[in-house]
Amino acid sequence: SLPKKERDSQTQTIIADIQKKITDAFEVFDHECNKTVDVREIGTIIRSLGCCPSESELHDLLAEVEEEEPTGYIRLEKFLPMMTKVLMERRYRPIPEDILLRAFEVLDENKCGHLTKEELVKYMTEEGEPFTQEEMEEMLSAAVDPETNTVRYRDYITMMVVDEN
Amino acid sequence: LGTQLSGSVLCVTAFKAAVLIQRWYRRYVARLEMRRRCTWRIFQSIEYSCEQDQIKLHNFFSYLMDHFTPSSSKERDFISRMLTEEESYKDTELEKLCDYESVEVLDSYTGPHLSFPLLPDHATALLEAFKQKQQLHAHYVLKLLHETRRHLMQLPNINHVSTCYSEEITIWEGFAVCPLLTLWHLTYFLFSYVFNGDFVDRGKQSVEILIILFAFLLVYPKEVHLNRGNHEDHMVNLRYGFTKEVMQKYKVHGKKILKMLQNVFCWLPLATLIDQKVLIVHGGVSDMTDLELLAKIQRHKFVSVLRGKKRKGKSRHMDSKVINGESPVGVDPPRSSSFPGSCLQPGLASTASRTELSQWVRQTVEEELEKCRRQVGFSETPGDKELTCVSSVTMTESELESCETSESSQGEWKQIVDLLWSDPMPQEGCKMNTVRGGGCYFGPDVTENILQKHSLQLLIRSHECKQEGYEFCHNRKVLTIFSASNYYEIGSNRGAYYQANKTAHTLTLRQRISRVEESAFRALREKLFAHTSDLICAFKGYDQEETGTITLSDWATAVESVLHLGLPWRMLRPQLVHSTAGGLLEYKSWLDYLAVEQRSKEHIQSSLLETIYRNRSNLETIFRIIDSDHSGLISFEEFHQTWTLFSSHMNIELTDDGISDLARSIDFNKDGNIDFNEFLEAFRLIEHTHCDDKAALPTSDGC
């Protein structure tokens, strides 16, 4: 392997790249061009950088970057080091397709390969970290097969994955 | 995730499963949202850089005036045509210009008939007709424009509206994809309406929108109020498509209609004031904005804000004024040597020296007359009145006077530009709006000053597309309203009007985003292609060892350094760069891939091609100006001259051979004329606009 000096320099480059990536993502939401974003957009930024935290994990991350006296805004100054660490440590990795499939199967009590619309709504709005009404409607619009009024989750997952790529 | 062992374990598992799915879904949505924002940024930065093109055009004209020495009378004619209003009519009377009497309405015409004064029935009949895709006859269009102008001329620069008369006031700005549906609101006239400019250049029904607006203006003068926007300007229309639309719909009389429209636009009020408390303007304000001054200027002098004051006597009735005691002789202004500014006919200019040429261009007949009138103590009244003025002004006096007049009209011009083109910014202060190339960026302190100075409470403006259709800023003292939904593309934004009605989506989030995104990225790739040479240079800078590859991070930095669009390239990269090996990009093949997409003509000098793409809006605009009769044809010589001038201004090396190659590649065989529409189309420089493109409009936001 490479001598330490070169390894260090490589790491520096990697860190610099990561920081530029984070700054780019941050700036998309920096509407007033003053290196701050609305606290409600932090989740979007973090997730678009490749991480997949749960709501409670997100909450913890936010606590790290919020001001002593919460202003409703998060500064890049504080966000950057936190996010760099998260990315370097590869935390909150995305969920692999097969795990996702198993999750749906758990909810599919009758093992029939699909969930009814009502079942999905019940689970998503009553279990876990419940969806808002808007989130629920949005998911239903794409997930429900209008002919059968069911969610064929295997197909749904495939479609979403293709979409993303 | 475990297996089902017992009820309680199942519950826990279901909980975990739900969290997993929700976590995954939220990430999916977040990524979509990011894509949506990035797409938005792309559109905005490209649009703004287009508007910046407009000022480049303006600079081009100034450059011509300052540097270009016409070496032949032909060149002089050519230049003069670019710098002054094309004058293909010999008549100077405005009445003759709009000349609706001579436009015959044949029996075969099945569209709506109008009679004046207009009644509410006429207005609703128009709406119905347009819904049936009928077209209003040019005769009625011209008459309508004539009557509209008469009405507008009575209005002050700043229109005062009172809510004592009607309880609520609704403010709209712009129309786009589903305009006629929105206009149904107009038939239920319970409120007053202020239309805050930019009635045209949005969507393909600008003509219909304008007709409806003007018709309702005439029928309900107390309830309908119009503000001028920056698109109520024929120079802007040349670029943005309204001119094209008019010519396509009115092949025979389009020119007349366009000329008449110029005279209507310049009479639109500049601002509306509600209850002395709320100021409505199209763009914004500047630290120099002076409402008292604005109230006094002659707004109709400024036909196009883009050409500044370099225009020929717009109100043709002035041309027939008496100068120096000579009686008006139809077209030709007196050839008095004391009025070099009167030499506005191209023919006359050919005898002038270079300095006089510049002078001539800088002056307008009206300025001459202005000082003329002042000298005899004559004050101008609005209207088509014949003014006579007698004076015996000497050369030097006239020069001095014209300088003064120039300065004051320069100041007036700035007042108007600021009102129509400015944008608010979060930072304090006031600086030039270099992005738009006109007006300024004004900060919260400027807003505060203006509001306080005139005891106002709120500034409402439009001019900028907002994703949600409206946005408050400057401590909620400034409200931006943007009513044209789907401004960039179906699904790109919602429209709004001041009564802030939230509209429902009909497409899913995913569907809306991918359509819009495709459009944005297409535009972006084209922009990238247009800068191929510069990009190669930049990339090579990062490839010292000449491996032919660069890192993706360097790619992002390089691209921004060339394009200056301020975009988050690292977020956009996945959509722009598809194949990378080990995090490295083979830049040459990536650029080739971009070129293939543009389906370029290989035998054309590649740098020339880039140039065309990069300057296509300006080129199209210049061509349209040269094509004064809107026939779509320009002579080969004019084409050549244009290129020569343009390339010298842009510092592009362009050989005569290069231009000839270009010309040869165009299928032109019409006696030395070039059908420039074909030319532009050949390079896919213009979008296909089919007149019969009546594809079903989806029900979209804001309708």
PDB file of all heavy atoms in Angstrom, chain A residues 17 20 24 31 48 51-52 124 127 129-130 135 138-139 163, chain B residues 22-28 34 37 41 509-510 553 570:
ATOM      1  N   ASP A  17     -13.486  16.645  -1.583  1.00  0.00           N
ATOM      2  CA  ASP A  17     -14.573  16.318  -2.509  1.00  0.00           C
ATOM      3  C   ASP A  17     -15.905  16.222  -1.782  1.00  0.00           C
ATOM      4  O   ASP A  17     -16.915  16.756  -2.220  1.00  0.00           O
ATOM      5  CB  ASP A  17     -14.298  14.969  -3.198  1.00  0.00           C
ATOM      6  CG  ASP A  17     -13.321  15.129  -4.343  1.00  0.00           C
ATOM      7  OD1 ASP A  17     -12.960  16.294  -4.646  1.00  0.00           O
ATOM      8  OD2 ASP A  17     -12.916  14.113  -4.920  1.00  0.00           O
ATOM      9  N   LYS A  20     -17.254  19.571  -0.867  1.00  0.00           N
ATOM     10  CA  LYS A  20     -17.827  20.312  -1.998  1.00  0.00           C
ATOM     11  C   LYS A  20     -19.218  19.775  -2.303  1.00  0.00           C
ATOM     12  O   LYS A  20     -20.150  20.533  -2.578  1.00  0.00           O
ATOM     13  CB  LYS A  20     -16.937  20.145  -3.240  1.00  0.00           C
ATOM     14  CG  LYS A  20     -15.697  20.997  -3.208  1.00  0.00           C
ATOM     15  CD  LYS A  20     -15.017  21.054  -4.561  1.00  0.00           C
ATOM     16  CE  LYS A  20     -13.535  21.389  -4.395  1.00  0.00           C
ATOM     17  NZ  LYS A  20     -12.673  20.527  -5.222  1.00  0.00           N
ATOM     18  N   ASP A  24     -22.595  21.985  -2.187  1.00  0.00           N
ATOM     19  CA  ASP A  24     -23.486  22.080  -3.349  1.00  0.00           C
ATOM     20  C   ASP A  24     -24.924  21.780  -2.950  1.00  0.00           C
ATOM     21  O   ASP A  24     -25.842  22.530  -3.286  1.00  0.00           O
ATOM     22  CB  ASP A  24     -23.053  21.063  -4.427  1.00  0.00           C
ATOM     23  CG  ASP A  24     -22.183  21.698  -5.491  1.00  0.00           C
ATOM     24  OD1 ASP A  24     -21.812  22.884  -5.314  1.00  0.00           O
ATOM     25  OD2 ASP A  24     -21.875  21.028  -6.491  1.00  0.00           O
ATOM     26  N   HIS A  31     -31.814  29.845   0.018  1.00  0.00           N
ATOM     27  CA  HIS A  31     -32.540  30.803  -0.811  1.00  0.00           C
ATOM     28  C   HIS A  31     -32.056  32.221  -0.669  1.00  0.00           C
ATOM     29  O   HIS A  31     -32.170  33.021  -1.579  1.00  0.00           O
ATOM     30  CB  HIS A  31     -34.037  30.757  -0.502  1.00  0.00           C
ATOM     31  CG  HIS A  31     -34.625  29.393  -0.690  1.00  0.00           C
ATOM     32  ND1 HIS A  31     -34.585  28.727  -1.884  1.00  0.00           N
ATOM     33  CD2 HIS A  31     -35.220  28.548   0.184  1.00  0.00           C
ATOM     34  CE1 HIS A  31     -35.162  27.555  -1.748  1.00  0.00           C
ATOM     35  NE2 HIS A  31     -35.556  27.414  -0.516  1.00  0.00           N
ATOM     36  N   SER A  48     -30.615  13.477   0.353  1.00  0.00           N
ATOM     37  CA  SER A  48     -30.167  13.536  -1.039  1.00  0.00           C
ATOM     38  C   SER A  48     -28.669  13.330  -1.153  1.00  0.00           C
ATOM     39  O   SER A  48     -28.139  13.144  -2.238  1.00  0.00           O
ATOM     40  CB  SER A  48     -30.579  14.853  -1.678  1.00  0.00           C
ATOM     41  OG  SER A  48     -29.909  15.903  -1.052  1.00  0.00           O
ATOM     42  N   CYS A  51     -27.773   9.428   2.345  1.00  0.00           N
ATOM     43  CA  CYS A  51     -28.054   8.793   3.633  1.00  0.00           C
ATOM     44  C   CYS A  51     -29.535   8.471   3.778  1.00  0.00           C
ATOM     45  O   CYS A  51     -30.380   9.109   3.155  1.00  0.00           O
ATOM     46  CB  CYS A  51     -27.662   9.719   4.786  1.00  0.00           C
ATOM     47  SG  CYS A  51     -25.931  10.128   4.742  1.00  0.00           S
ATOM     48  N   CYS A  52     -29.820   7.507   4.616  1.00  0.00           N
ATOM     49  CA  CYS A  52     -31.193   7.080   4.800  1.00  0.00           C
ATOM     50  C   CYS A  52     -31.516   6.941   6.283  1.00  0.00           C
ATOM     51  O   CYS A  52     -31.745   5.834   6.776  1.00  0.00           O
ATOM     52  CB  CYS A  52     -31.411   5.760   4.063  1.00  0.00           C
ATOM     53  SG  CYS A  52     -33.137   5.360   3.793  1.00  0.00           S
ATOM     54  N   MET A 124     -48.878   2.536   7.450  1.00  0.00           N
ATOM     55  CA  MET A 124     -48.055   3.719   7.258  1.00  0.00           C
ATOM     56  C   MET A 124     -48.477   4.900   8.124  1.00  0.00           C
ATOM     57  O   MET A 124     -47.661   5.751   8.466  1.00  0.00           O
ATOM     58  CB  MET A 124     -48.057   4.148   5.771  1.00  0.00           C
ATOM     59  CG  MET A 124     -47.373   3.160   4.831  1.00  0.00           C
ATOM     60  SD  MET A 124     -45.595   3.016   5.116  1.00  0.00           S
ATOM     61  CE  MET A 124     -45.480   1.467   5.974  1.00  0.00           C
ATOM     62  N   GLU A 127     -48.364   2.932  12.309  1.00  0.00           N
ATOM     63  CA  GLU A 127     -47.191   2.249  12.839  1.00  0.00           C
ATOM     64  C   GLU A 127     -45.913   3.035  12.531  1.00  0.00           C
ATOM     65  O   GLU A 127     -45.906   3.956  11.709  1.00  0.00           O
ATOM     66  CB  GLU A 127     -47.065   0.856  12.201  1.00  0.00           C
ATOM     67  CG  GLU A 127     -48.185  -0.093  12.557  1.00  0.00           C
ATOM     68  CD  GLU A 127     -48.006  -0.712  13.925  1.00  0.00           C
ATOM     69  OE1 GLU A 127     -46.990  -0.409  14.596  1.00  0.00           O
ATOM     70  OE2 GLU A 127     -48.876  -1.496  14.340  1.00  0.00           O
ATOM     71  N   GLU A 129     -42.986   5.371  12.185  1.00  0.00           N
ATOM     72  CA  GLU A 129     -42.926   6.839  12.277  1.00  0.00           C
ATOM     73  C   GLU A 129     -43.954   7.362  11.279  1.00  0.00           C
ATOM     74  O   GLU A 129     -43.642   7.619  10.111  1.00  0.00           O
ATOM     75  CB  GLU A 129     -41.510   7.322  11.950  1.00  0.00           C
ATOM     76  CG  GLU A 129     -40.470   6.823  12.959  1.00  0.00           C
ATOM     77  CD  GLU A 129     -39.045   7.198  12.552  1.00  0.00           C
ATOM     78  OE1 GLU A 129     -38.753   7.206  11.324  1.00  0.00           O
ATOM     79  OE2 GLU A 129     -38.216   7.481  13.445  1.00  0.00           O
ATOM     80  N   PRO A 130     -45.200   7.501  11.735  1.00  0.00           N
ATOM     81  CA  PRO A 130     -46.335   7.686  10.821  1.00  0.00           C
ATOM     82  C   PRO A 130     -46.161   8.758   9.745  1.00  0.00           C
ATOM     83  O   PRO A 130     -45.539   9.808   9.960  1.00  0.00           O
ATOM     84  CB  PRO A 130     -47.481   8.071  11.766  1.00  0.00           C
ATOM     85  CG  PRO A 130     -47.093   7.494  13.072  1.00  0.00           C
ATOM     86  CD  PRO A 130     -45.589   7.580  13.139  1.00  0.00           C
ATOM     87  N   GLU A 135     -47.959  12.746   2.633  1.00  0.00           N
ATOM     88  CA  GLU A 135     -47.036  11.666   2.292  1.00  0.00           C
ATOM     89  C   GLU A 135     -47.820  10.418   1.891  1.00  0.00           C
ATOM     90  O   GLU A 135     -47.481   9.743   0.911  1.00  0.00           O
ATOM     91  CB  GLU A 135     -46.144  11.334   3.502  1.00  0.00           C
ATOM     92  CG  GLU A 135     -45.004  12.324   3.708  1.00  0.00           C
ATOM     93  CD  GLU A 135     -44.225  12.051   4.992  1.00  0.00           C
ATOM     94  OE1 GLU A 135     -44.856  11.810   6.044  1.00  0.00           O
ATOM     95  OE2 GLU A 135     -42.990  12.078   4.940  1.00  0.00           O
ATOM     96  N   GLU A 138     -49.397  10.744  -1.544  1.00  0.00           N
ATOM     97  CA  GLU A 138     -48.374  10.691  -2.580  1.00  0.00           C
ATOM     98  C   GLU A 138     -47.924   9.260  -2.829  1.00  0.00           C
ATOM     99  O   GLU A 138     -47.782   8.819  -3.963  1.00  0.00           O
ATOM    100  CB  GLU A 138     -47.203  11.588  -2.158  1.00  0.00           C
ATOM    101  CG  GLU A 138     -46.163  11.833  -3.221  1.00  0.00           C
ATOM    102  CD  GLU A 138     -46.708  12.338  -4.533  1.00  0.00           C
ATOM    103  OE1 GLU A 138     -47.401  13.360  -4.540  1.00  0.00           O
ATOM    104  OE2 GLU A 138     -46.441  11.685  -5.558  1.00  0.00           O
ATOM    105  N   MET A 139     -47.749   8.499  -1.759  1.00  0.00           N
ATOM    106  CA  MET A 139     -47.314   7.114  -1.922  1.00  0.00           C
ATOM    107  C   MET A 139     -48.403   6.304  -2.608  1.00  0.00           C
ATOM    108  O   MET A 139     -48.128   5.523  -3.515  1.00  0.00           O
ATOM    109  CB  MET A 139     -47.002   6.495  -0.559  1.00  0.00           C
ATOM    110  CG  MET A 139     -46.458   5.086  -0.698  1.00  0.00           C
ATOM    111  SD  MET A 139     -46.335   4.242   0.887  1.00  0.00           S
ATOM    112  CE  MET A 139     -44.796   3.391   0.649  1.00  0.00           C
ATOM    113  N   ASP A 163     -36.728   3.938 -11.194  1.00  0.00           N
ATOM    114  CA  ASP A 163     -36.941   5.383 -11.174  1.00  0.00           C
ATOM    115  C   ASP A 163     -35.750   6.154 -10.666  1.00  0.00           C
ATOM    116  O   ASP A 163     -35.315   7.143 -11.228  1.00  0.00           O
ATOM    117  CB  ASP A 163     -38.113   5.651 -10.226  1.00  0.00           C
ATOM    118  CG  ASP A 163     -39.135   6.493 -10.915  1.00  0.00           C
ATOM    119  OD1 ASP A 163     -39.063   6.610 -12.148  1.00  0.00           O
ATOM    120  OD2 ASP A 163     -39.989   7.018 -10.212  1.00  0.00           O
TER     121      ASP A 163
ATOM    122  N   GLN B  22     -40.978   3.432   5.718  1.00  0.00           N
ATOM    123  CA  GLN B  22     -41.132   4.889   5.783  1.00  0.00           C
ATOM    124  C   GLN B  22     -39.799   5.593   5.562  1.00  0.00           C
ATOM    125  O   GLN B  22     -39.705   6.585   4.840  1.00  0.00           O
ATOM    126  CB  GLN B  22     -41.728   5.291   7.136  1.00  0.00           C
ATOM    127  CG  GLN B  22     -43.194   4.949   7.262  1.00  0.00           C
ATOM    128  CD  GLN B  22     -43.607   4.687   8.695  1.00  0.00           C
ATOM    129  OE1 GLN B  22     -42.770   4.516   9.580  1.00  0.00           O
ATOM    130  NE2 GLN B  22     -44.906   4.654   8.931  1.00  0.00           N
ATOM    131  N   ARG B  23     -38.796   5.042   6.186  1.00  0.00           N
ATOM    132  CA  ARG B  23     -37.435   5.587   6.032  1.00  0.00           C
ATOM    133  C   ARG B  23     -37.046   5.603   4.569  1.00  0.00           C
ATOM    134  O   ARG B  23     -36.583   6.604   4.026  1.00  0.00           O
ATOM    135  CB  ARG B  23     -36.483   4.636   6.765  1.00  0.00           C
ATOM    136  CG  ARG B  23     -35.424   5.276   7.592  1.00  0.00           C
ATOM    137  CD  ARG B  23     -34.631   4.203   8.298  1.00  0.00           C
ATOM    138  NE  ARG B  23     -33.408   3.913   7.563  1.00  0.00           N
ATOM    139  CZ  ARG B  23     -32.673   2.826   7.746  1.00  0.00           C
ATOM    140  NH1 ARG B  23     -33.048   1.894   8.608  1.00  0.00           N
ATOM    141  NH2 ARG B  23     -31.566   2.643   7.060  1.00  0.00           N
ATOM    142  N   TRP B  24     -37.244   4.497   3.905  1.00  0.00           N
ATOM    143  CA  TRP B  24     -36.896   4.340   2.508  1.00  0.00           C
ATOM    144  C   TRP B  24     -37.691   5.303   1.648  1.00  0.00           C
ATOM    145  O   TRP B  24     -37.165   6.008   0.804  1.00  0.00           O
ATOM    146  CB  TRP B  24     -37.157   2.893   2.081  1.00  0.00           C
ATOM    147  CG  TRP B  24     -37.261   2.692   0.601  1.00  0.00           C
ATOM    148  CD1 TRP B  24     -36.233   2.608  -0.287  1.00  0.00           C
ATOM    149  CD2 TRP B  24     -38.453   2.551  -0.160  1.00  0.00           C
ATOM    150  NE1 TRP B  24     -36.709   2.416  -1.558  1.00  0.00           N
ATOM    151  CE2 TRP B  24     -38.091   2.381  -1.498  1.00  0.00           C
ATOM    152  CE3 TRP B  24     -39.818   2.536   0.167  1.00  0.00           C
ATOM    153  CZ2 TRP B  24     -39.022   2.204  -2.519  1.00  0.00           C
ATOM    154  CZ3 TRP B  24     -40.742   2.365  -0.857  1.00  0.00           C
ATOM    155  CH2 TRP B  24     -40.343   2.205  -2.183  1.00  0.00           C
ATOM    156  N   TYR B  25     -38.989   5.366   1.925  1.00  0.00           N
ATOM    157  CA  TYR B  25     -39.859   6.233   1.129  1.00  0.00           C
ATOM    158  C   TYR B  25     -39.487   7.705   1.288  1.00  0.00           C
ATOM    159  O   TYR B  25     -39.460   8.467   0.316  1.00  0.00           O
ATOM    160  CB  TYR B  25     -41.327   6.020   1.496  1.00  0.00           C
ATOM    161  CG  TYR B  25     -42.241   6.803   0.603  1.00  0.00           C
ATOM    162  CD1 TYR B  25     -42.490   6.391  -0.703  1.00  0.00           C
ATOM    163  CD2 TYR B  25     -42.803   8.004   1.036  1.00  0.00           C
ATOM    164  CE1 TYR B  25     -43.279   7.132  -1.552  1.00  0.00           C
ATOM    165  CE2 TYR B  25     -43.599   8.743   0.200  1.00  0.00           C
ATOM    166  CZ  TYR B  25     -43.838   8.313  -1.102  1.00  0.00           C
ATOM    167  OH  TYR B  25     -44.619   9.060  -1.947  1.00  0.00           O
ATOM    168  N   ARG B  26     -39.212   8.080   2.515  1.00  0.00           N
ATOM    169  CA  ARG B  26     -38.867   9.489   2.753  1.00  0.00           C
ATOM    170  C   ARG B  26     -37.589   9.867   2.031  1.00  0.00           C
ATOM    171  O   ARG B  26     -37.435  10.986   1.555  1.00  0.00           O
ATOM    172  CB  ARG B  26     -38.754   9.777   4.244  1.00  0.00           C
ATOM    173  CG  ARG B  26     -40.132   9.921   4.876  1.00  0.00           C
ATOM    174  CD  ARG B  26     -40.100  10.027   6.363  1.00  0.00           C
ATOM    175  NE  ARG B  26     -41.442  10.359   6.829  1.00  0.00           N
ATOM    176  CZ  ARG B  26     -42.046   9.776   7.846  1.00  0.00           C
ATOM    177  NH1 ARG B  26     -41.418   8.833   8.526  1.00  0.00           N
ATOM    178  NH2 ARG B  26     -43.274  10.130   8.186  1.00  0.00           N
ATOM    179  N   ARG B  27     -36.687   8.951   1.953  1.00  0.00           N
ATOM    180  CA  ARG B  27     -35.458   9.243   1.230  1.00  0.00           C
ATOM    181  C   ARG B  27     -35.766   9.425  -0.257  1.00  0.00           C
ATOM    182  O   ARG B  27     -35.241  10.328  -0.920  1.00  0.00           O
ATOM    183  CB  ARG B  27     -34.435   8.130   1.407  1.00  0.00           C
ATOM    184  CG  ARG B  27     -33.228   8.381   0.548  1.00  0.00           C
ATOM    185  CD  ARG B  27     -32.009   7.612   0.965  1.00  0.00           C
ATOM    186  NE  ARG B  27     -30.944   7.905   0.013  1.00  0.00           N
ATOM    187  CZ  ARG B  27     -30.651   7.132  -1.014  1.00  0.00           C
ATOM    188  NH1 ARG B  27     -31.316   6.022  -1.227  1.00  0.00           N
ATOM    189  NH2 ARG B  27     -29.669   7.478  -1.839  1.00  0.00           N
ATOM    190  N   TYR B  28     -36.628   8.562  -0.770  1.00  0.00           N
ATOM    191  CA  TYR B  28     -37.032   8.649  -2.166  1.00  0.00           C
ATOM    192  C   TYR B  28     -37.625  10.028  -2.465  1.00  0.00           C
ATOM    193  O   TYR B  28     -37.270  10.695  -3.431  1.00  0.00           O
ATOM    194  CB  TYR B  28     -38.049   7.548  -2.459  1.00  0.00           C
ATOM    195  CG  TYR B  28     -38.711   7.646  -3.801  1.00  0.00           C
ATOM    196  CD1 TYR B  28     -38.042   7.251  -4.954  1.00  0.00           C
ATOM    197  CD2 TYR B  28     -40.011   8.134  -3.915  1.00  0.00           C
ATOM    198  CE1 TYR B  28     -38.660   7.340  -6.194  1.00  0.00           C
ATOM    199  CE2 TYR B  28     -40.621   8.228  -5.150  1.00  0.00           C
ATOM    200  CZ  TYR B  28     -39.951   7.823  -6.275  1.00  0.00           C
ATOM    201  OH  TYR B  28     -40.554   7.925  -7.495  1.00  0.00           O
ATOM    202  N   MET B  34     -35.010  17.202  -4.225  1.00  0.00           N
ATOM    203  CA  MET B  34     -33.723  17.763  -4.612  1.00  0.00           C
ATOM    204  C   MET B  34     -33.663  17.917  -6.129  1.00  0.00           C
ATOM    205  O   MET B  34     -33.219  18.942  -6.647  1.00  0.00           O
ATOM    206  CB  MET B  34     -32.587  16.860  -4.118  1.00  0.00           C
ATOM    207  CG  MET B  34     -31.191  17.331  -4.510  1.00  0.00           C
ATOM    208  SD  MET B  34     -30.808  19.003  -3.940  1.00  0.00           S
ATOM    209  CE  MET B  34     -29.986  18.651  -2.400  1.00  0.00           C
ATOM    210  N   ARG B  37     -35.718  20.905  -7.166  1.00  0.00           N
ATOM    211  CA  ARG B  37     -35.048  22.169  -6.920  1.00  0.00           C
ATOM    212  C   ARG B  37     -33.923  22.416  -7.914  1.00  0.00           C
ATOM    213  O   ARG B  37     -33.709  23.521  -8.386  1.00  0.00           O
ATOM    214  CB  ARG B  37     -34.442  22.201  -5.521  1.00  0.00           C
ATOM    215  CG  ARG B  37     -35.419  22.134  -4.407  1.00  0.00           C
ATOM    216  CD  ARG B  37     -36.322  23.350  -4.350  1.00  0.00           C
ATOM    217  NE  ARG B  37     -37.273  23.218  -3.287  1.00  0.00           N
ATOM    218  CZ  ARG B  37     -37.369  24.046  -2.267  1.00  0.00           C
ATOM    219  NH1 ARG B  37     -36.598  25.088  -2.205  1.00  0.00           N
ATOM    220  NH2 ARG B  37     -38.254  23.827  -1.327  1.00  0.00           N
ATOM    221  N   ARG B  41     -33.446  25.418 -10.583  1.00  0.00           N
ATOM    222  CA  ARG B  41     -32.269  26.271 -10.664  1.00  0.00           C
ATOM    223  C   ARG B  41     -31.742  26.324 -12.093  1.00  0.00           C
ATOM    224  O   ARG B  41     -31.292  27.361 -12.569  1.00  0.00           O
ATOM    225  CB  ARG B  41     -31.167  25.735  -9.737  1.00  0.00           C
ATOM    226  CG  ARG B  41     -31.476  25.867  -8.260  1.00  0.00           C
ATOM    227  CD  ARG B  41     -31.209  27.273  -7.775  1.00  0.00           C
ATOM    228  NE  ARG B  41     -29.823  27.622  -7.918  1.00  0.00           N
ATOM    229  CZ  ARG B  41     -28.908  27.460  -6.978  1.00  0.00           C
ATOM    230  NH1 ARG B  41     -29.255  26.968  -5.801  1.00  0.00           N
ATOM    231  NH2 ARG B  41     -27.666  27.780  -7.200  1.00  0.00           N
ATOM    232  N   LEU B 509     -46.239  13.514  -8.168  1.00  0.00           N
ATOM    233  CA  LEU B 509     -44.988  14.222  -7.970  1.00  0.00           C
ATOM    234  C   LEU B 509     -43.922  13.691  -8.931  1.00  0.00           C
ATOM    235  O   LEU B 509     -43.223  14.426  -9.597  1.00  0.00           O
ATOM    236  CB  LEU B 509     -44.544  14.019  -6.519  1.00  0.00           C
ATOM    237  CG  LEU B 509     -43.365  14.854  -6.041  1.00  0.00           C
ATOM    238  CD1 LEU B 509     -43.706  16.323  -6.087  1.00  0.00           C
ATOM    239  CD2 LEU B 509     -43.020  14.459  -4.627  1.00  0.00           C
ATOM    240  N   ARG B 510     -43.842  12.406  -9.003  1.00  0.00           N
ATOM    241  CA  ARG B 510     -42.823  11.767  -9.804  1.00  0.00           C
ATOM    242  C   ARG B 510     -42.981  12.123 -11.279  1.00  0.00           C
ATOM    243  O   ARG B 510     -42.018  12.472 -11.940  1.00  0.00           O
ATOM    244  CB  ARG B 510     -42.965  10.263  -9.635  1.00  0.00           C
ATOM    245  CG  ARG B 510     -41.759   9.464 -10.068  1.00  0.00           C
ATOM    246  CD  ARG B 510     -42.028   7.998  -9.841  1.00  0.00           C
ATOM    247  NE  ARG B 510     -42.215   7.308 -11.110  1.00  0.00           N
ATOM    248  CZ  ARG B 510     -43.354   6.782 -11.504  1.00  0.00           C
ATOM    249  NH1 ARG B 510     -44.429   6.853 -10.752  1.00  0.00           N
ATOM    250  NH2 ARG B 510     -43.444   6.179 -12.662  1.00  0.00           N
ATOM    251  N   SER B 553     -14.929  15.500  -9.508  1.00  0.00           N
ATOM    252  CA  SER B 553     -14.899  16.737  -8.759  1.00  0.00           C
ATOM    253  C   SER B 553     -14.300  17.860  -9.599  1.00  0.00           C
ATOM    254  O   SER B 553     -14.823  18.970  -9.663  1.00  0.00           O
ATOM    255  CB  SER B 553     -14.085  16.536  -7.482  1.00  0.00           C
ATOM    256  OG  SER B 553     -14.131  17.694  -6.702  1.00  0.00           O
ATOM    257  N   ARG B 570     -22.397  19.060  -8.802  1.00  0.00           N
ATOM    258  CA  ARG B 570     -22.205  17.727  -8.227  1.00  0.00           C
ATOM    259  C   ARG B 570     -23.539  17.009  -8.023  1.00  0.00           C
ATOM    260  O   ARG B 570     -23.615  15.798  -8.071  1.00  0.00           O
ATOM    261  CB  ARG B 570     -21.422  17.810  -6.916  1.00  0.00           C
ATOM    262  CG  ARG B 570     -19.958  18.110  -7.179  1.00  0.00           C
ATOM    263  CD  ARG B 570     -19.163  18.452  -5.933  1.00  0.00           C
ATOM    264  NE  ARG B 570     -17.842  18.925  -6.318  1.00  0.00           N
ATOM    265  CZ  ARG B 570     -17.582  20.157  -6.693  1.00  0.00           C
ATOM    266  NH1 ARG B 570     -18.545  21.043  -6.731  1.00  0.00           N
ATOM    267  NH2 ARG B 570     -16.362  20.508  -7.065  1.00  0.00           N
TER     268      ARG B 570
END
